[in-house]
Amino acid sequence: MEIKEVGLVAQRINDNIGRVLIGKRAEIDLVLTCLFAGGHALLDDVPGTGKTVLAKSLARSLKCDFKRIQFTADLLPSDITGLSVYNQKEGEFVFQPGPAFTNILLADEINRTTPRTQSALLECMEEKQITVDGETKPLSAPFFTIATQNPVESSGTFALPEAQLDRFLIRLTLGYPSSEESVDILTNYINGSPTIELEPVASGEDIVAIQEAISSVQVSQPIREYIVALVEATRGSDDIELGISTRGMLALLRACQAYAAIQGRDYVLPDDVKALAVPVFAHRLILKVKYNSSSKAAELIQRLLTTVPAPTESTTEKL
C-alpha cells in the first residue's frame, strides 16, 4: 500500500468513529497510530468518557473479529488464552480457543484482575502468539489490544506491573467533552446508540498492508538523534528513578512512522516526535515521587521537550 493511501484509510476510519465519539479526532488518530504501528493501547480514564465506545466503534469500522473480556478478580489465565478439554467421544483432548484468538481484543478494566491473569496477555501482546500445553499457536493478523482502566477507584484493583505497562505502545485519556460537544452527543444519542449503525470502512487486510507500508516512512539522522537525546534525558533526570528503555525508544520510532503516514507524509518531522512523546513515554517512567505519578510523568516529558533541542528545518532531511 502507498503511504498516501494510508492517510485516506485513516481518514475514513476516523470519520466513521467520529460519528459516535464526538470531538475526539486527535485521540482517535493516536489509537490508529498505535494500531498501524502494530502496538497496543491503554485507555486510562474515569468511567463514562467513551473508552469502551471507542473500542467498539473501531471494531465496527474494521471488517475484523472482535472480542471483549470483562476483567474481574476471579478471571483465570485460561479464560483469556483458552484450554484443552477432554472429548470423551474422540478419546482425546481438544483445544478450545479463548477470546484472545481474535483481531481486536477489548480488555475492559484490566486492573481489576490478578497479576497472574494480567500476565497471560504478555505473550499475546508481545509475541502475537499463545502457548498452551507446550504448543505455540499464532494469533491472526492483525492483533490489537485495547485495554481500559479506571484510575479513580483503587478498591479491588491490581496495578499493572511495569513489564506489562511497557507492552502498551501508548497510554491516553479521552477526557470530558466540551459543552458544545456534549449537546452534539445528546442529539446523536437521542434516538438510540449510533454505534450499531456503523459499517466497516476498512478490512483486516488493509491494516496488515498498512503495518507493512509504514516501515518505508523515512526517519532522518537528526530525527533519530533527537529521539535518542530525549530517551537519554529521561535516564539522567533527578526526578526519574528509571528512564525509557530501548523498547520504549523503538516504540516512539515506530509510532512516529505511523503518525507521519496518517498525515499523508513519507517522512517524520520533529513535531511528530513532540506529539507522541507523552503518550508513548509517560507510562513507561518510574518516578522517585510516586504520588500522582501519571500526571507528574507527563509534566516531566513536556519539560524535557522544552529543554532538549529539536532539529531545525535546515538540519532535518526527508531522506
Side-chain angles (χ1 to χ4, degrees):
M1 180 178 291
E2 299 291 334
I3 293 300
K4 61 182 180 181
E5 296 180 67
V6 174
L8 297 176
V9 174
Q11 184 68 44
R12 290 202 307 267
I13 298 173
N14 198 319
D15 290 343
N16 208 43
I17 298 176
R19 295 168 53 194
V20 177
L21 202 65
I22 307 296
K24 301 298 179 184
R25 299 191 70 90
E27 289 79 4
I28 296 171
D29 267 349
L30 287 177
V31 172
L32 292 179
T33 296
C34 188
L35 172 62
F36 293 173
H40 307 280
L42 176 63
L43 306 184
D44 190 356
D45 213 335
V46 297
T49 51
K51 301 186 295 295
T52 304
V53 171
L54 172 55
K56 287 183 175 180
S57 300
L58 175 62
R60 285 186 171 273
S61 298
L62 303 176
K63 199 173 182 180
C64 294
D65 291 334
F66 170 71
K67 299 285 178 59
R68 173 181 178 177
I69 305 174
Q70 185 65 47
F71 280 73
T72 56
D74 59 349
L75 197 73
L76 299 175
S78 58
D79 294 327
I80 298 173
T81 61
L83 74 165
S84 295
V85 178
Y86 186 73
N87 186 322
Q88 290 184 339
K89 184 176 180 180
E90 301 293 334
E92 61 182 11
F93 283 92
V94 178
F95 179 69
Q96 300 292 330
F101 286 88
T102 188
N103 296 122
I104 299 178
L105 177 66
L106 171 58
D108 224 354
E109 295 189 289
I110 190 174
N111 59 332
R112 289 203 171 276
T113 195
T114 61
R116 178 189 176 196
T117 303
Q118 291 173 1
S119 66
L121 278 177
L122 287 178
E123 186 181 18
C124 305
M125 295 168 61
E126 185 70 13
E127 306 295 337
K128 309 296 176 66
Q129 64 184 28
I130 290 176
T131 302
V132 180
D133 297 332
E135 183 178 353
T136 299
K137 304 176 185 297
L139 296 174
S140 300
F143 176 71
F144 181 52
T145 300
I146 302 181
T148 71
Q149 68 174 2
N150 176 7
V152 177
E153 296 180 9
S154 58
S155 177
T157 62
F158 303 85
L160 291 173
E162 284 75 12
Q164 186 159 343
L165 276 174
D166 206 27
R167 293 324 196 263
F168 288 102
L169 183 73
I170 63 170
R171 180 180 69 179
L172 68 145
T173 60
L174 296 178
Y176 290 118
S178 66
S179 299
E180 294 78 8
E181 291 166 351
S182 295
V183 173
D184 291 339
I185 291 172
L186 292 177
T187 304
N188 217 20
Y189 279 78
I190 198 166
N191 293 319
S193 174
T195 307
I196 60 176
E197 299 176 0
L198 293 183
E199 297 291 338
V201 294
S203 66
E205 291 76 13
D206 291 332
I207 303 304
V208 173
I210 288 172
Q211 291 174 346
E212 295 173 353
I214 65 168
S215 61
S216 65
V217 174
Q218 300 299 312
V219 185
S220 66
Q221 183 71 15
I223 297 291
R224 281 176 271 168
E225 292 173 353
Y226 181 44
I227 292 175
V228 171
L230 287 173
V231 170
E232 292 181 344
T234 66
R235 298 170 182 172
S237 174
D238 295 333
D239 298 313
I240 300 173
E241 185 174 329
L242 187 63
I244 298 301
S245 65
T246 302
R247 180 190 286 124
M249 179 178 66
L250 292 172
L252 181 59
L253 173 70
R254 192 66 168 168
C256 286
Q257 289 179 297
Y259 191 76
I262 288 175
Q263 313 305 317
R265 284 182 276 105
D266 63 353
Y267 56 92
V268 174
L269 294 176
D271 285 346
D272 299 330
V273 179
K274 293 178 181 180
L276 295 170
V278 171
V280 173
F281 278 175
H283 64 287
R284 302 173 191 270
L285 298 178
I286 299 180
L287 306 184
K288 293 181 179 179
V289 178
K290 302 297 182 182
Y291 176 73
N292 203 17
S293 58
S294 59
S295 60
K296 181 67 175 177
E299 292 175 7
L300 287 172
I301 297 297
Q302 291 287 8
R303 187 192 309 167
L304 292 178
L305 289 172
T306 62
T307 57
V308 176
T312 61
E313 186 175 352
S314 59
T315 61
T316 302
E317 302 171 355
K318 292 184 181 181
L319 299 176

